[in-house]
Amino acid sequence: MAMVWLDGNEAVARGAVAAGCRFFAGYPITPATSILNHMLALLPPRGGICLQGEDEIASIGFCIGASMAGLRALTATSGPGISLYSEQISFAVGSEIPLVIVDVQRLGPSTGSATRGADGDVQFLQWGNSGGLPVVVYAPVDAADCFRLVQVAFRTADRLRTPVFLASNKEIALTRESLDEERLPLLPPGERPAPAAGRPYLPFETPAGARVPPFLPIGGETLVRQTSSTHGADGYITTDPAEITRMLRRMQAKIEEAAEELAIVDHRPAPGADTLLITYGVTSRAAFAACRALGRQGKPVSHLVLKTLWPVPAAAIRRAAEGMRRILVVEMNLGQYVREIERVLPGRTVAFLGQMDGRLIAPETILEAVLHG
């Protein structure tokens, strides 16, 4: 057994390198800065590149360019930086550029409290791009999850040609944990879909029955056309309504149709339970303790931990809610994801426990809400 002492940010950096990431650009921001520090130590010895941009806008732009050139690219920031990333995120969505973006959430709005955690960016990550096309967001619970899910994020970004978010949290990012390095999962590297040989390459043409166009890096022997404007399969700007509809519907469908496959959840059913707790992120750890305490009191509670937030893992939520009299959603915000649970479970009793004041939600608070809420 080889034990290592890692926090979530170092686990992200190590997991990204294991996934084949060879380019990082970012701008210092609490509490994400140490990802930049770790990548600066890890990438150059492996032939990779690590840059500090002059600001957040430049940093994500560097990453988009590196990705288009064929490198797996990572950037990391917090809520204020996501605000500045927004236009470039829209570019990556619309131009189908694979990219992994880590959002180490802190208390907002605006500058907020830089050294206090929250989960206030959940809706922002989904809807923070112009056009409203879906994105993929994973939410780790601890450092081990950070290591694994950033690898999953790179695989998803490659396969679907899309930006993918990792929604971390200050408490996960900067809390060190003892982990068995030999048991940390190493996933097979992802692959970007390659074009078929012997035919002209159109950068946004999809093979029959496919939703994702093949990928070729810019700068090779084959001309690769790229634009941030509405385009057709050939990459040229178009204003044709039928062609625009085909392109946008395909980009919508490639995410939504993969929702079941993208869904990562940890369902912990309790025999005899009639209440289901739904959590994500660091709050799940308080919920684990609350469920253990309730079980010892003879009041079992089932627990569903969501590690995929977008697209919403609706089927998994419905399965976990079967036979439950009451559903309690717990979030470190004022109520963002609970609306999705209410949408997925119409007509059901869905209660909410939220807290956004810079403190972690305590197990005792959850226990009290279950017993007397």
Side-chain angles (χ1 to χ4, degrees):
M1 183 180 296
M3 301 306 293
V4 289
W5 190 236
L6 295 181
D7 62 25
N9 280 353
E10 184 173 0
V12 163
R14 289 194 181 200
V17 169
C21 175
R22 291 299 178 266
F23 188 94
F24 178 92
Y27 187 77
I29 183 171
T30 303
T33 302
S34 60
I35 296 177
L36 166 60
N37 298 338
H38 290 301
M39 293 303 270
L40 187 59
L42 292 170
L43 283 181
R46 293 168 171 80
I49 299 168
C50 183
L51 297 176
Q52 177 182 316
E54 59 263 39
D55 54 33
E56 285 88 352
I57 296 170
S59 297
I60 189 171
F62 293 154
C63 290
I64 286 174
S67 179
M68 287 192 293
L71 295 177
R72 290 190 175 89
L74 174 75
T75 187
T77 189
S78 192
I82 294 291
S83 301
L84 293 168
Y85 281 8
S86 182
E87 182 180 6
Q88 304 263 35
I89 291 168
S90 298
F91 178 23
V93 169
S95 296
E96 300 184 84
I97 300 166
L99 175 66
V100 176
I101 303 167
V102 181
D103 178 15
V104 185
Q105 298 170 89
R106 71 191 204 191
L107 184 64
S110 190
T111 306
S113 297
T115 60
R116 296 290 184 266
D119 287 329
D121 301 347
V122 169
Q123 289 283 342
F124 192 20
L125 295 181
Q126 167 63 89
W127 303 115
N129 67 86
S130 58
L133 287 172
V135 297
V136 181
V137 179
Y138 296 112
V141 168
D142 52 23
D145 264 357
C146 287
F147 185 86
R148 179 175 70 98
L149 290 179
V150 75
Q151 294 179 74
V152 174
F154 272 104
R155 289 171 58 84
T156 301
D158 282 344
R159 183 168 60 85
L160 296 180
R161 280 193 62 172
T162 188
V164 176
F165 292 96
L166 192 72
S168 186
N169 176 296
K170 175 259 172 179
E171 308 298 345
I172 298 170
L174 301 182
T175 299
R176 289 190 174 274
E177 304 181 59
S178 179
L179 300 174
D180 183 354
E181 190 170 27
E182 295 175 358
R183 298 185 64 182
L184 290 173
L186 292 173
L187 305 183
E191 293 184 1
R192 298 177 181 182
R199 56 178 300 173
Y201 177 66
L202 297 177
F204 299 102
E205 180 184 51
T206 54
R211 294 292 192 188
V212 182
F215 178 90
L216 276 180
I218 285 176
E221 294 182 2
T222 302
L223 176 66
V224 178
R225 192 174 294 107
Q226 186 60 271
T227 175
S228 63
S229 297
T230 305
H231 51 266
D234 57 6
Y236 282 109
I237 296 172
T238 182
T239 58
D240 177 63
E243 194 165 22
I244 292 170
T245 297
R246 282 194 298 271
M247 188 64 58
L248 294 181
R249 291 294 187 189
R250 177 185 61 74
M251 287 193 285
Q252 178 185 38
K254 74 176 182 180
I255 305 294
E256 293 182 348
E257 290 180 359
E260 186 78 6
E261 182 182 349
L262 295 171
I264 302 175
V265 302
D266 178 7
H267 183 205
R268 303 182 176 200
D274 66 358
T275 296
L276 173 68
L277 269 182
I278 299 180
T279 64
Y280 57 87
V282 70
T283 304
S284 302
R285 300 173 72 160
F288 295 152
C291 288
R292 288 194 295 268
L294 288 162
R296 289 193 294 268
Q297 295 179 26
K299 298 172 181 176
V301 172
S302 292
H303 186 194
L304 178 67
V305 181
L306 303 178
K307 300 188 180 184
T308 301
L309 298 182
W310 307 102
V312 177
I317 293 168
R318 293 189 187 103
R319 286 193 294 268
E322 288 179 4
M324 295 292 114
R325 177 184 60 83
R326 180 170 177 256
I327 293 94
L328 174 62
V329 181
V330 186
E331 305 184 65
M332 280 182 70
N333 54 51
L334 301 181
Q336 294 196 16
Y337 207 78
V338 64
R339 298 174 183 141
E340 297 302 319
I341 305 302
E342 291 169 342
R343 181 183 61 81
V344 169
L345 302 174
R348 302 293 298 275
T349 300
V350 178
F352 173 69
L353 170 62
Q355 181 177 302
M356 195 168 75
D357 59 7
R359 298 176 300 162
L360 288 166
I361 299 175
E364 295 76 15
T365 305
I366 297 173
L367 188 148
E368 183 70 15
V370 170
L371 293 178
H372 306 296

